[in-house]
Amino acid sequence: MKITLVAFTKKGANICLKLTNCLREKGHQTTGFSKCNCHDLNLLENNLYDFTKKAFETSSAIVFVGAIGIAVRAIAPFIISKAQDPAVIVVDELGEHVIPILSGHLGGANELAIDLAELLEGKAVITTATDINNVFSVDIWAKKHDLHIDNIENIKHISSAILNGQKMGFYCDFPVDGGLPIFLTNENADAGIYIYNSTGSKRNTLPFQNTLFMRPRQFIVGIGCRKGTEKGILEEVFLETLSKLSILPCLVKSVATIDIKKEENAITYLCEKYRYELKVYNSEELSKVKGDFTASEFVRSVTGVDNVCERAAYLASDAGEFVLRKTVERGITIAVAVKSWRCSF
């Protein structure tokens, strides 16, 4: 997770530095800022508006160490929806209280707040109704199982039904492992979930009065490109390729490539903009993948493996089926594989 942290006082800077280092040790990509000079933290030189705008565009989570009021005023102009907004958390400058204030479920703010509280030996202050009542949260479940929610506004109907002790309807085009929990039913219900296969059935069925439609994020895009490829060109080719396959960008789970491209500006920009996971493999890992791939001696001479995009997509999709073999467009190679998906509770 890419996390941006910021503090406004000397005490807050100490907390910010501790969290920045601890989260980095846990494998997160962290950048810490402070309004005052603090060793190993970046100086917050821009105004808070510009800082927050950039953080919203590039980060998965933003942690404000300071007053809630500062954070609320800072993020207010940039809030779009719970499906797009990053997680936002406020930590008081003594590190006693950790409060998620935006994207608690889909953005992962609640979960991250609990982790931060443990690091600080403080208390996570969670206010989400499904969490404090310890009942099923459909958006947390959707995120955990890589599901894209089409009509996020209908989450309220599902949560309301569960909080009121009502059964929730459930239809699914995919195999369901282990049966349904007691709060779900295949029979009539006022509110329910329909998980449909975007490559098969269409969303013209309305099984419940208030239906929450979901689709698995199953697609893996393998990419290879020349060094210095312009980010705008890569994005155009990427979107054009998906459009030809009738795949929405929101249904892509990750982008896969070779490790020598992990810092390629065009690829990192694409992943940051669309919030894709970037999966990278070295030439040895790619070469060991068994299968029939489109070989290129030129690619081998540059990367050490005969094919990057197909092998990377196949590996990242856990040997999924190709929906597109290697194609070349403006010096960019792309392959798309679909990862199998099953439903479980």
Side-chain angles (χ1 to χ4, degrees), residues 80-124:
I80 300 174
S81 78
K82 63 171 66 181
Q84 296 176 253
D85 299 330
V88 178
I89 297 168
V90 177
V91 181
D92 68 63
E93 67 172 31
L94 298 180
E96 294 179 351
H97 300 95
V98 183
I99 311 164
I101 62 171
L102 190 69
S103 293
H105 286 167
L106 290 178
N110 288 4
E111 185 178 359
L112 181 58
I114 293 170
D115 290 342
L116 297 184
E118 289 180 358
L119 292 173
L120 297 171
E121 298 183 353
K123 181 178 181 180

Side-chain angles (χ1 to χ4, degrees), residues 137-201:
S137 170
V138 67
D139 36 359
I140 287 181
W141 181 80
K143 180 181 179 182
K144 181 180 178 181
H145 291 84
D146 286 320
L147 286 161
H148 170 74
I149 302 174
D150 287 359
N151 52 339
I152 203 164
E153 67 278 3
N154 272 12
I155 286 178
K156 62 180 181 288
H157 298 296
I158 305 299
S159 298
S160 177
I162 293 201
L163 288 167
N164 289 327
Q166 300 171 3
K167 286 210 170 189
M168 182 177 69
F170 184 79
Y171 282 3
C172 184
D173 289 345
F174 297 85
V176 179
D177 295 332
L180 299 181
I182 58 173
F183 56 83
L184 294 181
T185 178
N186 292 132
E187 300 175 358
N188 292 334
D190 291 335
I193 294 171
Y194 180 22
I195 302 175
Y196 69 104
N197 186 351
S198 59
T199 61
S201 60

Side-chain angles (χ1 to χ4, degrees), residues 32-99:
F33 292 84
S34 175
K35 193 70 175 175
C36 54
N37 286 316
C38 178
H39 182 62
D40 288 336
L41 289 179
N42 298 290
L43 185 64
L44 180 61
E45 296 178 315
N46 295 336
N47 61 59
L48 191 55
Y49 178 94
D50 291 337
F51 168 84
T52 308
K53 182 176 185 295
K54 182 177 180 180
F56 254 68
E57 293 171 349
T58 62
S59 302
S60 302
I62 308 170
V63 179
F64 290 87
V65 183
I68 282 183
I70 294 175
V72 170
R73 286 190 291 272
I75 68 174
F78 310 109
I79 296 174
I80 300 174
S81 78
K82 63 171 66 181
Q84 296 176 253
D85 299 330
V88 178
I89 297 168
V90 177
V91 181
D92 68 63
E93 67 172 31
L94 298 180
E96 294 179 351
H97 300 95
V98 183
I99 311 164

